[in-house]
Amino acid sequence: MWIRPIPQAVPLQTLQHQQCQCPIILRSPPNLRNNSNTVSGRAMEAVGCDSDGRGFNNAQEMWREQIGDEGDDSKKTEWYRQGVAYWEGVEASVDGVLGGFGQVNDADIKGSEAFLNTLLRERFGGRGKNQHLVALDCGSGIGRITKNLLIRYFKEVDLLEPVSHFLDAARESLSQEYFVASDVHKATNFYCASLQDFTPDAGRYNVIWVQWCIGHLTDDDFVSFFNRAKVGLKPGGFFVLKENIARNGFVLDKEDRSITRSDLYFKNLFQRCGLHLYKIKDQKGLPEELFAVKMYALTTEVPKKFHKTISKGQANRPGLIQ
C-alpha cells in the first residue's frame, strides 16, 4: 500500500456501459455522499472496482472472491503472502516505498507534522515536551516517517514492518550517530511482523501511527487489529490513520493485494472497532493524478465537546454546519 495514482485501466464509457460506478471515475451517487452525522452499513454495500476496471456490486462480493468464504484460511493466507511478496521485490528507498513518487515525501511529512502538532498540543499539553511519549510506527517500511517526523516528537519509537529488508534498512538508518548521541529520542524496537499478527504490549504507546498499510488488511482483520491495538494505548493515547481515499466504495489493487476504501467505508469500520473520530484533515500538496489522502485521529473514548456560554441574542440564531 502506498501513495498511488488513480488507475485509468478502463475508459469511462466502458464503465458506464457495464453499470460499474468505479469510485475513482464517476461522481458519488446520492446515497453515498459524506454525512458526518450518520455512518451506516450502506458503505459496505457500495459498488467498487479493481485496478483493471472490473466492477463489484459490493465489498462482500469482492472479499468473497479474494479470500473465499469464512473458514477458507488457505485463500486468505495467499492474499497476505502475495501482498508481502510484492513489497519484497521493491527497493528499500524512499522512492521505492512511495511507489515511484518519492517527490511527495516532503509534502507528506509537512502535512503529518502539522496534524501531529495539533493533536499533541490538545491531548497532552505543551506538545508533550516534558513527558516520556512513546509511538508505534505501523507499516514503517524503511523508517521514513520515524526518521523524518516521529523520532523528533517521541522519546521512543517502535517500528512494525513485515518486509525484512525494509526493516533492516530502517535499523541501519536509525542507528546512525545522530539518533543515538543523546539517547533521548531513539528507535527502540524493530518488529518484523504483519499487522494482522501483531499485538502490542499493554499500555506502552501514546500514539499508534498507521500510514499507507491498512489497505492490506481484510475488513475483519482491520477490526481485529484495532481491537488488539487499543490495549497498547496509554490513557489519553490515540491512533493516527493516514490513507488513500477512494471517491466512493472501494478500489482493489490486484498487483499488491490491497484495497483503497472511501471515507464512508472507513467510518463504518471505525464504528465496528468502537473507535471515535477525534479529528480529520485532508493532506494537501499532492499531485492531482494521485488518490486523495486523509488523516484520521481516533480515540477509544468519546471526544469531549467544547462548551461555551451563548448569549440570549445568539441563542435563536441559525448555526453554521461544521
Side-chain angles (χ1 to χ4, degrees):
M1 194 68 178
W2 33 278
I3 184 70
R4 60 173 46 146
I6 298 172
Q8 300 290 343
V10 179
L12 177 59
Q13 293 84 354
T14 303
L15 289 171
Q16 289 172 326
H17 178 71
Q18 294 176 342
Q19 296 183 331
C20 169
Q21 292 179 296
C22 189
I24 43 81
I25 297 177
L26 302 183
R27 294 184 180 275
S28 302
N31 69 328
L32 289 178
R33 294 190 186 280
N34 182 22
N35 184 331
S36 59
N37 295 320
T38 61
V39 181
S40 74
R42 290 178 301 178
M44 319 312 292
E45 299 299 326
V47 293
C49 64
D50 64 21
S51 47
D52 291 333
R54 179 195 168 198
F56 296 95
N57 292 319
N58 51 55
Q60 291 90 337
E61 178 186 333
M62 182 274 295
W63 284 123
R64 193 177 303 113
E65 178 180 289
Q66 296 300 312
I67 63 172
D69 295 321
E70 189 174 352
D72 188 355
D73 292 338
S74 62
K75 203 166 184 180
K76 184 177 177 181
T77 299
E78 183 63 12
W79 162 274
Y80 285 121
R81 188 199 67 76
Q82 290 181 11
V84 172
Y86 172 86
W87 289 107
E88 287 176 339
V90 172
E91 179 186 72
S93 66
V94 171
D95 203 50
V97 297
L98 290 179
F101 289 88
Q103 71 271 21
V104 308
N105 179 69
D106 290 346
D108 170 56
I109 295 297
K110 182 179 179 181
S112 295
E113 185 164 19
F115 193 55
L116 180 61
N117 264 312
T118 299
L119 295 169
L120 292 179
R121 185 172 59 250
E122 293 178 358
R123 302 287 293 181
F124 300 121
R127 294 188 302 179
K129 287 185 177 180
N130 297 320
Q131 302 177 48
H132 189 94
L133 300 183
V134 182
L136 174 65
D137 183 359
C138 295
S140 62
I142 61 172
R144 181 184 67 89
I145 298 167
T146 291
K147 183 176 181 178
N148 292 303
L149 176 63
L150 299 180
I151 208 163
R152 294 191 284 112
Y153 288 86
F154 296 88
K155 303 296 186 184
E156 296 182 68
V157 182
D158 292 344
L159 288 79
L160 173 65
E161 170 58 46
V163 180
S164 59
H165 77 284
F166 284 173
L167 201 62
D168 289 341
R171 186 181 289 107
E172 181 179 355
S173 175
L174 292 165
S175 65
Q176 295 173 10
E177 183 179 352
Y178 173 81
F179 296 104
V180 297
S182 64
D183 202 38
V184 174
H185 296 264
K186 61 182 181 180
T188 304
N189 297 304
F190 296 80
Y191 298 112
C192 191
S194 300
L195 291 178
Q196 70 273 16
D197 299 321
F198 183 75
T199 300
D201 293 337
R204 172 159 173 76
Y205 302 109
N206 300 96
V207 175
I208 296 180
W209 191 280
V210 187
Q211 180 169 346
W212 287 332
C213 60
I214 204 71
H216 285 291
L217 295 193
T218 67
D219 291 349
D220 288 344
D221 284 342
F222 180 113
V223 175
S224 179
F225 165 72
F226 277 105
N227 283 336
R228 292 194 312 276
K230 288 177 191 177
V231 179
L233 289 176
K234 295 181 179 181
F238 57 91
F239 296 100
V240 172
L241 176 67
K242 186 169 185 177
E243 271 299 342
N244 299 328
I245 302 295
R247 192 170 294 175
N248 59 269
F250 59 89
V251 180
L252 167 68
D253 190 301
K254 296 176 66 177
E255 186 178 18
D256 72 353
R257 294 300 172 190
S258 68
I259 176 176
T260 299
R261 299 171 169 98
S262 69
D263 178 62
L264 191 60
Y265 198 142
F266 271 121
K267 288 175 178 176
N268 181 274
L269 289 176
F270 297 158
Q271 284 191 346
R272 286 180 58 188
C273 296
L275 293 173
H276 302 277
L277 185 57
Y278 178 79
K279 197 173 290 289
I280 184 171
K281 186 176 183 181
D282 293 329
Q283 170 68 49
K284 304 294 185 182
L286 299 182
E288 289 184 2
E289 68 267 24
L290 300 180
F291 276 110
V293 173
K294 287 184 182 290
M295 294 171 275
Y296 302 93
L298 304 163
T299 62
T300 57
E301 79 281 358
V302 178
K304 296 178 181 178
K305 293 184 178 180
F306 178 74
H307 297 282
K308 63 180 181 179
T309 304
I310 301 176
S311 68
K312 200 170 189 179
Q314 292 176 319
N316 294 321
R317 293 179 185 174
L320 293 175
I321 298 174
Q322 300 298 320

